[in-house]
Amino acid sequence: MIKTNANFSKLTPSYLFSEVARKIAAFSHDHKDVDVIRMSIGDVTRPICRAAVDALHRAADEQADAAAFHGYGPEQGYAFLRDKIAAADYEGLGITPDEIFISDGAKSDIGNIGDILSADSVVAVTDPVYPVYVDTNIMAGRRIIYLPCTEENGFLPELPAERPDIIYLCYPNNPTGTTMSRSVLQRWVDYALESRALILFDSAYEVFITEADVPHSIYEIDGAKRCAIEFRSFSKTAGFTGMRCGYTVVPRELKADDGTPLRDLWLRRQTTKFNGASYPVQRAAEAIYSPEGNRQVREAIDYYLGNAAIMLDGLRAAGLECYGGVNAPYVWVKAPANMTSWQMFDLLLERCGIASTPGIGFGQCGEGYIRLTAFNTRENTIAAIRRIATNLKP
Ligand code: PLP
């Protein structure tokens, strides 16, 4: 008998992206003269930097040479990359290379981490939320508590009324683009330590932080090494969405109630189910830590942040209320006049030829908002803002 995981039937079908695509296709069919500007894209548009491409070429040549060839690598990732991450991304924070695990991206790690956690754990997520946190836990049969993030609370969740075992925090946030200050994050770390909860901290957008009071890593916060796992990604940092590389930090100090170090369980999980990210990709990731790689990556990030600044100015000038966009590539726009997310989506598409992502797709509290991304060309960003200024007058 073939039996499936019954939890899959509890997943909410996701029509969001197919419905967005269907509406864009229908609009384009009826308005052949309008070039739709896609501000819904969650993917980067700039190519990976020269330093990373050169490293990729060198690694490819090594693979063609019997003396330099690399077969299976360490499941945890090559030391050459973990050493650079520990020294550069965790400078002064006391994270050691053996606490860093390289992977094929943050999404897999965020989903896979559940393997080492009890199936009866209660999980807290923000609403709106990056849907991967929700769906991976529903697949595993875990119960979910939603923590509303609204205009009233500045898109920062209140501490949960019911104690969760696992808490997902993503800052800078997708989709709202908002951030958590050091003092607020300290409150969450203190809460997790007191209530013996585990924080899963997603800092996929860390590189976009521009303000001094926004922590780049949860390990900047006192006590975090005893209650938090951190996920990072090269996807948005270095345009690696198609290359696939990220990493997870599990500090040695982080222990389960029975004293088991979570790091050892994660190592066991990875060595059993994962054979490491590819050698050329890890070499390319390493190149980002060279002075020229660092500079080139910064250029791309500043380009996107420049787009975000143009978007914020233009949207506010058009009378729209906006959040995010300063430490993140996302701008969270409130639909005017109590419109729903989908009504705002339709308005932007039909009046301005702009595609957005309806906030309701990220949770109930996303209703009444849309998400716009800065991952566009400068020309398209400027053109989109011009269209809004002309066609969406307050
Ligand atoms: N975490 C967040 C909040 C994201 O928005 C994304 C990608 O969009 C990821 C993780 C996944 O990153 P990766 O490409 O490394 O799997």
Side-chain angles (χ1 to χ4, degrees), residues 163-211:
R163 181 201 161 272
D165 301 294
I166 302 168
I167 301 162
Y168 285 83
L169 294 177
C170 171
Y171 290 94
N173 187 258
N174 178 14
T176 64
T178 55
T179 55
M180 214 174 235
S181 66
R182 270 192 189 82
S183 58
V184 175
L185 191 53
Q186 182 73 62
R187 220 181 301 144
W188 280 91
V189 167
D190 292 345
Y191 171 81
L193 290 171
E194 274 159 36
S195 63
R196 295 294 304 143
L198 172 68
I199 296 179
L200 298 178
F201 192 75
D202 185 346
S203 61
Y205 296 96
E206 169 275 330
V207 75
F208 293 93
I209 293 172
T210 59
E211 292 181 320

Side-chain angles (χ1 to χ4, degrees), residues 191-360:
Y191 171 81
L193 290 171
E194 274 159 36
S195 63
R196 295 294 304 143
L198 172 68
I199 296 179
L200 298 178
F201 192 75
D202 185 346
S203 61
Y205 296 96
E206 169 275 330
V207 75
F208 293 93
I209 293 172
T210 59
E211 292 181 320
D213 188 37
V214 182
H216 288 249
S217 163
I218 194 165
Y219 304 119
E220 291 175 31
I221 308 299
D222 283 344
K225 282 189 200 157
R226 286 182 283 121
C227 67
I229 290 175
E230 178 160 293
F231 303 96
R232 290 237 186 143
S233 169
F234 292 105
S235 285
K236 309 295 156 68
T237 308
F240 271 35
T241 50
M243 296 271 281
R244 309 307 309 143
C245 199
Y247 62 88
T248 291
V249 181
V250 192
R252 281 192 181 276
E253 287 175 47
L254 178 59
K255 300 206 170 104
D257 285 352
D258 65 2
T260 310
L262 269 64
R263 183 225 166 247
D264 295 355
L265 291 188
W266 184 241
L267 179 66
R268 186 75 169 89
R269 190 266 168 216
Q270 291 297 81
T271 50
T272 302
K273 292 196 183 179
F274 184 58
N275 252 338
S278 90
Y279 171 72
V281 166
Q282 290 190 62
R283 279 293 185 201
E286 181 198 19
I288 289 154
Y289 293 91
S290 66
E292 70 278 16
N294 204 293
R295 191 179 42 74
Q296 291 162 1
V297 160
R298 202 57 246 172
E299 261 172 36
I301 299 302
D302 289 344
Y303 181 92
Y304 294 132
L305 283 171
N307 286 348
I310 291 168
M311 289 159 65
L312 281 177
D313 278 354
L315 292 161
R316 285 182 178 144
L320 292 164
E321 250 177 78
C322 304
Y323 303 91
V326 176
N327 300 287
Y330 300 121
V331 179
W332 190 238
V333 186
K334 189 172 181 185
N338 287 325
M339 267 188 266
T340 66
S341 296
W342 279 112
Q343 284 168 338
M344 178 69 176
F345 173 94
D346 289 338
L347 182 80
L348 275 180
L349 184 61
E350 281 155 23
R351 281 227 217 137
C352 307
I354 292 172
S356 59
T357 308
I360 185 73

